Amino acid sequence: MTITMRSVQSLMMTTLVLALATSKTVLASDPDILSDYVLPQNSTSVDASFFTFTGFRGIFDQAPKTVKTTKASMVEFPALNGQSVSYAVLQLPPQTLLPPHTRPDAAGLLFLLDGSLEVVLIDTKNNLYTKKLQAGDIFICPKGLIHYQYNTDSQLPATAIAAFGSASARAVAVPPSVFASGIDDVILAKSFKTDIDTVRKIKAGLTTS
């Protein structure tokens, strides 16, 4: 069966609707704070170490063999509480994929440090945008839209930094949100215009991956 660009767009749009429907929370933003920063619980003062994050030290010393995301969110860096910003370093070995996902809390800026990276974004009007990034390029992923990153190079890894407008920019992965959320196989088969056996194979693949 030939898969056209239009069918890919329709599939991703259906997936977007189902992913949002199965998400536990709606689109949200960080609340504003009335102070310069938020002190940790049971603390009355802080020093410069509170405003410093050292969790990225050494992550570039050895290239990972699988996709690796190292985060600096409010969980890892409590000083970000109330600051509406967070970071992540994405490391993609050759021919690896960061699967389709959304971020319901914030937009994201992706800055490619080295290598090349294919980024794909689909909006709520069913428009599909694809761009091959080179080192030094920046790509924005608007809040709540499905997107993914794919290192198509067969030899070289890719490294990128993602900045988010939220201290806790959750990622909602599309495949498990749809196929591992308990939606009945019949409903999924009808939604994706396929058969139940295909749906079950997809579910099995997600379980074993």
Side-chain angles (χ1 to χ4, degrees), residues 23-42:
S23 180
K24 296 183 183 300
T25 57
V26 297
L27 297 182
S29 299
D30 289 5
D32 291 330
I33 59 174
L34 301 178
S35 57
D36 294 337
Y37 49 87
V38 178
L39 286 170
Q41 286 187 342
N42 303 320

Side-chain angles (χ1 to χ4, degrees), residues 11-203:
L11 176 62
M12 291 189 73
M13 192 60 191
T14 302
T15 304
L16 171 61
V17 172
L18 286 171
L20 292 177
T22 55
S23 180
K24 296 183 183 300
T25 57
V26 297
L27 297 182
S29 299
D30 289 5
D32 291 330
I33 59 174
L34 301 178
S35 57
D36 294 337
Y37 49 87
V38 178
L39 286 170
Q41 286 187 342
N42 303 320
S43 297
T44 57
S45 63
V46 295
D47 58 20
S49 295
F50 173 71
F51 302 100
T52 305
F53 180 71
T54 61
F56 289 159
R57 291 181 182 177
I59 64 173
F60 302 115
D61 293 347
Q62 186 174 1
K65 296 182 180 180
T66 59
V67 175
K68 182 180 180 181
T69 300
T70 307
K71 298 187 297 180
S73 69
M74 191 171 69
V75 173
E76 297 82 16
F77 191 10
L80 297 182
N81 187 8
Q83 303 302 324
S84 298
V85 66
S86 59
Y87 252 45
V89 174
L90 313 179
Q91 296 172 284
L92 291 87
Q95 295 188 323
T96 57
L97 170 75
L98 192 60
H101 58 283
T102 68
R103 291 194 179 272
D105 303 302
L109 275 177
L110 185 73
F111 174 55
L112 187 61
L113 288 176
D114 57 40
S116 61
L117 203 59
E118 179 180 288
V119 292
V120 175
L121 170 74
I122 184 170
D123 66 18
T124 56
K125 295 181 180 178
N126 206 26
N127 295 313
L128 187 71
Y129 304 94
T130 303
K131 186 67 176 178
K132 185 69 170 290
L133 302 183
Q134 303 297 327
D137 292 347
I138 293 178
F139 190 88
I140 185 166
C141 300
K143 179 167 67 173
L145 299 186
I146 287 180
H147 57 280
Y148 67 82
Q149 295 87 29
Y150 179 35
N151 182 7
T152 60
D153 197 290
S154 61
Q155 301 293 327
L156 299 176
T159 304
I161 291 178
F164 308 107
S166 169
S168 299
R170 296 166 300 133
V172 179
V174 172
S177 293
V178 175
F179 291 97
S181 60
I183 298 176
D184 188 87
D185 291 351
V186 174
I187 300 300
L188 289 174
K190 289 181 179 293
S191 298
F192 288 98
K193 301 186 188 309
T194 186
D195 55 78
I196 293 176
D197 286 342
T198 299
V199 169
R200 289 174 177 169
K201 287 179 181 179
I202 295 173
K203 286 185 173 182

